[in-house]
Amino acid sequence: MKPKVFISKRIPQEVEDYIAQYCDYKIWNEETPIPNDVLLKEVADVEGLMTPKGIITKEFLNSAPSLKVVSNIAVGYDAFDIEAMKERDVWGTNTPFVLDEAVADLVFGLILATSRRVVEFNNYVKEGKWDRVLDSEESFGKDVHHSTLGIIGMGRIGEKVARRAALGFEMDVLYYNTKRKPELEDKYGITYSDMESLLERSDFVLLLVPLRESTYHLMGEKQFNIMKSSAIFINCSRGQTVNENALIAALQSGVIRGAGLDVFEKEPVAVDNPILKMDNVVVLPHIGSATQKTRFDMAMKAAENLVAGVTGQVPPDLVKELQG
Ligand code: 8YV
């Protein structure tokens, strides 16, 4: 008998076919996210769950007594309660490597969109305002090339951004990370910095840290106050790494120039969030990894982890906290 699994979002047919070879599966094929009560019913008798969010709590695990593996279709697994999973002996996996380049591309999308005011001027043209003169200090953008980029969090995605920045845009790249990476310094000519001087010196401050207790609200009032008033803040990590009220205040009072945000403290972002009214902020609905190929690769990787987990093999991308 094949092991039972549940897939809580639509995935490409080829990935579904792969899972079907090894598992007896059910899938949530609706456009809207699966309601929690439906999910809890569906996992009552499964050994494997493949999910885009992976909010795995003790209570959730109690509803899924046969569960052996949770395959997260994302690299971030901040929603795993690691202790609860350890206690129940449930494996948890993620999808590293395959999304690094796509997220790094989107980081540059936000850097360029904010500094060159792409969205603002796109609206300007579409609203038929081209005839108004755009030739004043206030209407000019800000150079990206040869400026200074400060990357907080030099993991795999940080490295891809650093390469683009240093070699492509000839930027000076500063980075702050819990572990210094001399090999990247040699390879791309980037410079290690403490957080305070990175904030002080950067024209663009990019946050790319995973969400943990230690990174919750890593950026707050104090940090924004250190930044240049001409600097732009970019967040492509998790919304909760930033104190959003402090960011709003910094943007409203001109403490910083602008922001490019792919993530929010609460997602979907509330429609009355003041950020949505700011011309100097470009917002996206958490689409860092959302290209066709990358999302396919993530789904396939997650499927391989799922199948491994329910067939008794250690999944290739078992998260490090659950190894050993
Ligand atoms: C989303 C991400 O989680 O991989 C991550 O950690 O933040 C994104 O890729 C993904 O879009 C959810 O399916």
Side-chain angles (χ1 to χ4, degrees):
M1 224 170 61
K2 290 177 180 172
K4 270 191 169 179
V5 301
F6 185 68
I7 305 159
S8 72
K9 83 175 263 257
R10 283 181 179 178
I11 52 171
Q13 191 57 49
E14 204 180 319
V15 180
E16 211 174 304
D17 293 345
Y18 167 78
I19 294 173
Q21 290 176 54
Y22 305 95
C23 306
D24 176 6
Y25 74 99
K26 273 176 83 180
I27 183 165
W28 176 259
N29 253 330
E30 308 299 319
E31 252 176 52
T32 48
I34 187 166
N36 203 40
D37 57 326
V38 180
L39 178 65
L40 290 180
K41 262 191 217 133
E42 292 293 358
V43 296
D45 62 347
V46 300
E47 292 180 49
L49 167 67
M50 187 160 139
T51 164
K53 265 252 178 67
I55 304 180
I56 306 304
T57 59
K58 206 173 181 139
E59 296 69 46
F60 178 87
L61 292 174
N62 288 341
S63 310
S66 313
L67 199 62
K68 289 183 180 156
V69 59
V70 178
S71 171
N72 201 26
I73 321 169
V75 69
Y77 52 92
D78 39 275
F80 281 176
D81 180 337
I82 294 288
E83 285 317 308
M85 292 171 84
K86 266 190 195 160
E87 214 171 279
R88 259 286 310 279
D89 227 355
V90 169
W91 279 326
T93 64
N94 67 343
T95 61
F97 304 105
V98 290
L99 46 66
D100 302 347
E101 300 282 6
V103 178
D105 282 349
L106 192 84
V107 165
F108 264 91
L110 283 173
I111 289 177
L112 290 163
T114 47
S115 60
R116 301 304 305 271
R117 305 171 65 170
V118 172
V119 178
E120 207 183 325
F121 290 142
N122 164 74
N123 296 342
Y124 188 87
V125 175
K126 288 187 175 172
E127 285 161 13
K129 296 180 185 161
W130 187 321
D131 54 345
R132 283 186 221 165
V133 187
L134 267 186
D135 199 14
S136 61
E137 279 300 312
E138 304 81 65
S139 66
F140 289 141
K142 173 182 166 69
D143 279 332
V144 174
H145 67 90
H146 298 95
S147 63
T148 300
L149 170 66
I151 306 177
I152 302 171
M154 186 49 71
R156 286 180 299 265
I157 300 170
E159 177 179 347
K160 303 295 182 196
V161 173
R163 176 161 52 80
R164 284 162 173 72
L167 307 184
F169 288 84
E170 299 182 66
M171 297 169 97
D172 284 329
V173 179
L174 308 174
Y175 77 99
Y176 171 72
N177 197 47
T178 43
K179 197 170 134 235
R180 191 166 169 174
K181 302 211 165 158
E183 69 287 2
L184 297 185
E185 294 170 28
D186 294 343
K187 205 165 164 188
Y188 302 122
I190 65 177
T191 308
Y192 183 76
S193 162
D194 61 64
M195 180 126 160
E196 193 163 323
S197 61
L198 178 150
L199 292 169
E200 221 168 62
R201 291 167 58 196
S202 298
D203 299 304
F204 298 89
V205 171
L206 166 65
L207 196 52
L208 276 180
V209 289
L211 176 63
R212 304 210 170 98
E213 243 168 65
S214 58
T215 58
Y216 177 78
H217 282 191
L218 186 64
M219 288 296 295
E221 187 186 350
K222 177 168 167 239
Q223 289 71 26
F224 290 120
N225 279 336
I226 301 172
M227 285 171 63
K228 296 181 189 177
S229 58
S230 58
I232 291 178
F233 174 68
I234 308 285
N235 191 8
C236 282
S237 60
R238 285 289 183 269
Q240 296 94 326
T241 56
V242 177
N243 179 337
E244 211 164 88
N245 287 333
L247 172 63
I248 291 168
L251 288 162
Q252 277 168 341
S253 58
V255 163
I256 64 171
R257 172 172 174 145
L261 307 171
D262 186 37
V263 290
F264 293 85
E265 273 209 78
K266 189 174 166 295
E267 293 177 3
V269 64
V271 285
D272 61 351
N273 188 318
I275 284 180
L276 304 189
K277 295 252 174 337
M278 298 178 182
D279 281 341
N280 55 342
V281 183
V282 174
V283 292
L284 292 173
H286 201 145
I287 55 154
S289 64
T291 69
Q292 215 167 11
K293 178 173 186 312
T294 298
R295 283 290 170 87
F296 178 89
D297 292 347
M298 288 167 73
M300 193 47 107
K301 209 175 212 311
E304 285 162 4
N305 284 316
L306 176 80
V307 168
V310 293
T311 55
Q313 303 154 59
V314 179
D317 302 302
L318 181 60
V319 302
K320 64 175 186 300
E321 293 84 349
L322 294 170
Q323 287 174 14

